[in-house]
Amino acid sequence: MLKARLLIQLGRGAEAVAVIEALGPERDPLDEAERLLGLGLAQSAAARLQDAERTLDRAATAGADRELIDSARASLRIQEGRFAEAEKQLRDVLRRAPLLSGALYNLAVVRLQQDDVAEAAALVRQAWHAGLQDPHALKTDPDLLKLRETQGLIDDLLAAPTPNCGAW
């Protein structure tokens, strides 16, 4: 699963799907719920949105974390261009889990689509302080282009050093 998570983070969803599918179902129900959640995220990263939706439903039934499932579903809505639905889902998630960094980040993406650059900047900063501290992602994510073009909002985050793993 670690390899699949890394592949998802690298945007290599199809490879992550293959890795997770090769694992096969887990015997422990909680491990299976986590495997299904990972598979749904990988399918989303591979732009297999209908498969991802079905897999996330199975993960929810299996007992995967509700906030992560709902956040992943909101991400699917973003990919589909259904921003109002994504915003509602993300705000619901953040009422229950206000420090879920991925939900904060995705809500920033939605707010940028709705031309609210100031709120998007505030949300990116909240995601940063909640642990999503990847200046490379901020510099390269095409969804954040409007935010990067507005000087002074996240310039300090963009200039931050990329964190390194102390074990390496």
Side-chain angles (χ1 to χ4, degrees):
M1 283 303 294
L2 177 61
K3 180 179 181 180
R5 287 186 181 126
L6 292 171
L7 288 168
I8 292 168
Q9 289 176 347
L10 293 171
R12 295 165 52 185
E15 291 173 68
V17 168
V19 167
I20 295 171
E21 286 178 340
L23 294 173
E26 296 284 342
R27 291 179 190 228
D28 180 84
L30 291 178
D31 289 341
E32 178 61 4
E34 291 302 310
R35 187 188 74 83
L36 289 169
L37 174 59
L39 180 58
L41 294 172
Q43 290 167 330
S44 174
R48 291 175 43 188
L49 305 185
Q50 291 180 342
D51 290 340
E53 191 79 54
R54 284 191 295 272
T55 302
L56 291 172
D57 288 343
R58 290 175 49 214
T61 300
D65 183 90
R66 178 180 174 201
E67 283 72 28
L68 294 178
I69 292 287
D70 289 349
S71 184
R73 286 182 174 139
S75 181
L76 293 175
R77 301 295 87 77
I78 291 170
Q79 288 176 272
E80 296 165 339
R82 295 164 48 189
F83 300 110
E85 288 177 54
E87 180 175 3
K88 181 184 181 315
Q89 286 178 313
L90 289 166
R91 290 195 187 277
D92 287 345
V93 167
L94 290 168
R95 274 191 272 292
R96 298 187 312 259
L99 295 177
L100 190 58
S101 60
L104 289 163
Y105 187 93
N106 283 337
L107 185 54
V109 169
V110 168
R111 297 307 295 148
L112 280 172
Q113 289 296 321
Q114 299 166 338
D115 291 323
D116 191 339
V117 178
E119 185 180 3
L123 289 161
V124 165
R125 287 187 168 285
Q126 287 176 329
W128 184 275
H129 292 292
L132 203 140
Q133 298 182 357
D134 184 353
H136 178 72
L138 296 180
K139 291 175 189 175
T140 59
D141 187 340
D143 292 325
L144 299 183
L145 180 60
K146 289 180 191 176
L147 191 54
R148 289 192 301 271
E149 291 177 339
T150 307
Q151 288 187 352
L153 293 179
I154 63 166
D155 295 351
D156 58 323
L157 304 182
L158 294 170
T162 302
N164 292 317
C165 175
W168 300 100

